[in-house]
Amino acid sequence: MSAASCLLTEDQFLCSICLDVFTDPVSTPCGHNYCKTCLSEHWNINVPCRCPNCKMIFKRRPELRVNTFISEMAAQFRRSAASSSSEQRVSKMGEVPCDVCAAPKLKALKSCLVCLVSYCETHLEPHLKLSALMRHQLIDAVENLEGRMCTKHDKLLELFCKTDRTCVCMLCTVSGHKTHKFVPLKAGYEGAEATLERTEAEIQKRRLKIEEIKRSVELSEEAAVTEIADGVQVFAALREAVERSQAELIDAIKEKFREAEKQAEGFIAELEQEISELKERSREVERLSRSEDHLHLLRSSLKAPPLSKDWTEVGVHPPSYEGTAWRAVARLEETLSEQKEKLLEAELKRVQRDAVDVTLDPDTAQPKLILSDDGKQVKHGDVKKNLPDNPERFDSYVIVLAKQSFSSGRFYYQVQVKGKTDWDVGVAQESVDRKGKFILNPQRGYWTIWLRDEHEYYARVGPDVRLFLKSRPERVGVFVDYEEGLVSFYDVDAAALIYSFTGCCFTEKLYPYFSPCLNNGGKNSAPLIICPVGPTEK
């Protein structure tokens, strides 16, 4: 039985015309076997009659009789093939069905680009075993094989026209696409695949950007909630302070009024007492005056005590309320100042979250500047170094820019200015003047503040604005919001705002800007130091 099973898989049980298992097999005089119907139709078309396999010509059309032995073997082969095909999966919706199978159609494994037919595992065997069919091009099963044929020349689409970006056959290259550039379909597929990969990569980038924007919105919302909570807390404290100051003002005024009123009541009571005494004396005098005893009248008048108080200068003066309201407002201003300091401290902590790592760019440094090896410190030296005069370098003013540039978002950095009598810090745009003498102001692309003569602070607005600071900064923080057009300077240790440039219009890259100024014979020899933002500050 096993030997028979092996025979059933041999190629001689397949008709070389229909490429299927024999149906009513017949034999030619030359010994080759075919389906009776296949051979009859072949000889009806082709005259004279010849064997399709060995090409032997027959003078007379042979009489075709069914070979019972081969017929039985073919039937057994069919049953065996049907049994094995039952193990194969019937094609489902969306899968390519076998074009040879009768219903139910099995799932196709491969499609032949020559036969334009899709085959299941069983019907694919001839293409894997017959030498004539093995030369056919097989691909993974696909639908609509007719769509792979040129509609104009009825030939297989084998080339890709790069000029028209369409698939063409060989005849198209010498007709409508004669002067165009072509590549094999595989190369065109690989190019299209690479394009799809790039497109997918771009899609992925945009998806990541969407996630980034969404995250930014979330962070903005969180910041807004925090800012609102802080603002509500501050204004609640201010409202409480105002109400308290108002109540204290009213109480102070009422207290002064009560004191004046109490004094007046005392005076009135005393006067009424004296009036009562005078009325009693007056009645006594009137009674005695009716008597003719002059001696008794005189003695009675002498017994009455004289009035001791002179009311001429006595009076109740309205209390003075001057300064009461002013003192209440002054206390309110102290409270407001305290809340303002708290807000500035919170604001500084927020901007410090955008701290960036900044290092000095030696290619921009004026030749007399001395930079540290780590690019974090700069000071002025007396000796001019022999350096290349590249376009980026400042040649007159003692200026150096950072290596890092920023064209969007927000960034913050800190500079130690302790021990210096003169310095400049800020930001500059990429296209600023760097050669010769020039003006440093926003109109020329510079947003800076500076110290001169140890005590004079200025914002270089154009004209310069004098700044009056409560304390002398030792560390200056520089914050930039590119989209908002904002450049702010902070006294880090005092958590105080020094100055802000607002409403700026940035259109280029911005670079952190530093100038240690001249050392003035050693008086200003301390370096500018780019200092990190510590964990407690962040």
Side-chain angles (χ1 to χ4, degrees):
M1 183 67 185
S2 61
S5 299
C6 293
L7 290 174
L8 290 175
T9 62
E10 297 299 327
D11 295 342
Q12 57 263 37
F13 296 106
L14 300 177
C15 173
S16 59
I17 296 177
C18 69
L19 304 178
D20 204 350
V21 181
F22 291 126
T23 301
D24 296 332
V26 296
S27 301
T28 61
C30 57
H32 294 104
N33 302 308
Y34 305 95
C35 295
K36 183 177 181 180
T37 302
C38 294
L39 187 58
S40 298
E41 292 179 353
H42 178 74
W43 281 348
N44 289 338
I45 298 172
N46 298 283
V47 179
C49 300
R50 67 173 66 188
C51 176
N53 195 359
C54 65
K55 309 303 180 185
M56 177 180 285
I57 298 176
F58 307 109
K59 294 181 180 179
R60 289 191 307 169
R61 183 167 181 166
E63 184 179 353
L64 301 177
R65 293 183 180 180
V66 176
N67 188 323
T68 56
F69 174 75
I70 296 177
S71 178
E72 291 176 0
M73 296 297 289
Q76 187 176 354
F77 183 86
R78 282 183 180 278
R79 288 193 295 272
S80 177
S83 176
S84 62
S85 65
S86 64
E87 299 176 359
Q88 301 180 47
R89 189 159 55 85
V90 176
S91 63
K92 298 179 180 179
M93 182 70 67
E95 295 179 339
V96 180
C98 176
D99 292 327
V100 182
C101 287
K105 290 183 175 293
L106 300 179
K107 176 185 175 182
L109 298 181
K110 296 288 182 180
S111 297
C112 178
L113 294 180
V114 178
C115 304
L116 298 179
V117 176
S118 297
Y119 298 104
C120 65
E121 182 179 355
T122 300
H123 294 119
L124 182 64
E125 286 189 9
H127 279 77
L128 303 177
K129 297 180 178 181
L130 298 181
S131 58
L133 298 179
M134 289 175 67
R135 291 192 292 269
H136 290 190
Q137 185 177 354
L138 297 176
I139 61 173
D140 290 337
V142 295
E143 293 182 317
N144 189 26
L145 285 170
E146 292 80 3
R148 296 178 176 272
M149 302 297 292
C150 177
T151 56
K152 186 175 182 180
H153 302 109
D154 199 26
K155 297 290 183 181
L156 183 66
L157 299 172
E158 301 180 80
L159 301 172
F160 178 71
C161 177
K162 296 179 69 175
T163 306
D164 290 343
R165 301 192 64 78
T166 184
C167 298
V168 296
C169 68
M170 293 298 295
L171 293 179
C172 291
T173 62
V174 295
S175 57
H177 302 261
K178 189 173 183 180
T179 61
H180 296 178
K181 294 181 179 180
F182 306 93
V183 294
L185 279 182
K186 183 178 180 180
Y189 164 79
E190 292 173 350
E193 190 177 41
T195 301
L196 289 175
E197 289 178 356
R198 288 193 296 271
T199 302
E200 185 64 29
E202 291 297 325
I203 292 173
Q204 187 63 22
K205 285 182 182 178
R206 281 153 179 77
R207 285 175 178 166
L208 291 174
K209 180 56 70 174
I210 289 174
E211 293 302 319
E212 179 184 333
I213 293 172
K214 287 182 178 179
R215 181 56 183 160
S216 298
V217 172
E218 292 175 358
L219 292 175
S220 297
E221 184 179 11
E222 293 174 3
V225 171
T226 303
E227 191 72 16
I228 290 172
D230 292 344
V232 168
Q233 184 177 358
V234 168
F235 278 96
L238 290 176
R239 183 167 55 250
E240 181 182 348
V242 170
E243 292 173 353
R244 185 172 60 251
S245 297
Q246 179 180 330
E248 291 174 355
L249 172 65
I250 294 173
D251 289 343
I253 294 174
K254 286 184 176 180
E255 181 63 25
K256 286 188 175 184
F257 171 74
R258 281 194 294 270
E259 290 176 358
E261 185 180 37
K262 185 176 180 181
Q263 184 185 31
E265 289 174 351
F267 289 155
I268 291 172
E270 189 176 351
L271 286 170
E272 286 179 346
Q273 178 64 30
E274 291 186 0
I275 290 172
S276 177
E277 293 175 359
L278 288 173
K279 284 183 177 180
E280 181 63 28
R281 186 181 300 179
S282 178
R283 285 194 295 271
E284 181 66 20
V285 169
E286 184 179 356
R287 184 179 62 80
L288 292 174
S289 65
R290 296 192 192 101
S291 171
E292 294 181 356
D293 189 351
H294 300 289
L295 178 62
H296 180 67
L297 175 62
L298 182 61
R299 286 178 176 175
S300 298
S301 64
L302 292 174
K303 290 179 181 180
L307 297 176
S308 60
K309 192 166 186 175
D310 182 7
W311 289 93
T312 306
E313 301 297 332
V314 175
V316 177
H317 301 286
S320 175
Y321 301 112
E322 284 78 5
T324 306
W326 181 87
R327 284 189 292 273
V329 171
R331 287 193 295 272
L332 185 60
E333 285 181 345
E334 291 177 2
T335 303
L336 181 61
S337 179
E338 292 173 1
Q339 294 299 324
K340 186 178 179 182
E341 288 177 2
K342 290 181 180 179
L343 284 176
L344 283 172
E345 185 176 352
E347 178 183 330
L348 181 57
K349 288 181 178 179
R350 282 195 297 273
V351 301
Q352 284 176 336
R353 294 173 190 162
D354 296 300
V356 294
D357 185 21
V358 174
T359 53
L360 302 171
D361 184 0
D363 290 337
T364 65
Q366 198 264 359
K368 285 190 177 183
L369 291 179
I370 301 173
L371 277 59
S372 62
D373 293 337
D374 62 359
K376 297 295 185 180
Q377 301 186 26
V378 58
K379 63 181 179 179
H380 179 257
D382 293 322
V383 179
K384 182 177 181 180
K385 296 186 291 292
N386 186 17
L387 298 174
D389 188 20
N390 48 286
E392 297 84 10
R393 189 179 306 284
F394 292 87
D395 63 356
S396 295
Y397 294 125
V398 286
I399 297 172
V400 61
L401 302 181
K403 291 180 180 179
Q404 294 74 20
S405 64
F406 306 89
S407 55
S408 63
R410 307 188 301 180
F411 64 93
Y412 171 90
Y413 69 92
Q414 292 182 169
V415 186
Q416 179 178 307
V417 296
K418 182 179 179 180
K420 296 191 65 62
T421 61
D422 303 271
W423 51 258
D424 295 19
V425 294
V427 292
Q429 66 184 19
E430 187 174 26
S431 65
V432 293
D433 296 328
R434 305 188 187 205
K435 308 297 181 183
K437 304 292 185 180
F438 48 83
I439 299 174
L440 285 82
N441 57 32
Q443 292 73 29
R444 297 296 184 92
Y446 294 93
W447 292 266
T448 65
I449 63 171
W450 48 281
L451 168 67
R452 291 295 181 268
D453 298 329
E454 197 171 355
H455 300 291
E456 297 181 4
Y457 295 90
Y458 294 89
R460 288 191 151 171
V461 179
D464 296 339
V465 174
R466 180 76 182 270
L467 306 176
F468 298 94
L469 310 183
K470 292 183 178 180
S471 60
R472 184 178 179 183
E474 293 187 352
R475 289 186 299 168
V476 175
V478 183
F479 172 73
V480 177
D481 189 326
Y482 195 96
E483 282 73 24
E484 288 294 326
L486 174 68
V487 182
S488 294
F489 300 86
Y490 296 89
D491 181 340
V492 176
D493 300 293
L497 178 67
I498 298 175
Y499 186 79
S500 287
F501 292 91
T502 58
C504 308
C505 183
F506 303 129
T507 58
E508 303 178 21
K509 293 179 180 179
L510 295 179
Y511 291 83
Y513 163 102
F514 310 86
S515 174
C517 298
L518 304 179
N519 61 18
N520 291 331
K523 294 180 181 179
N524 190 38
S525 60
L528 286 179
I529 303 174
I530 301 171
C531 48
V533 177
T536 57
E537 294 171 324
K538 282 189 176 182

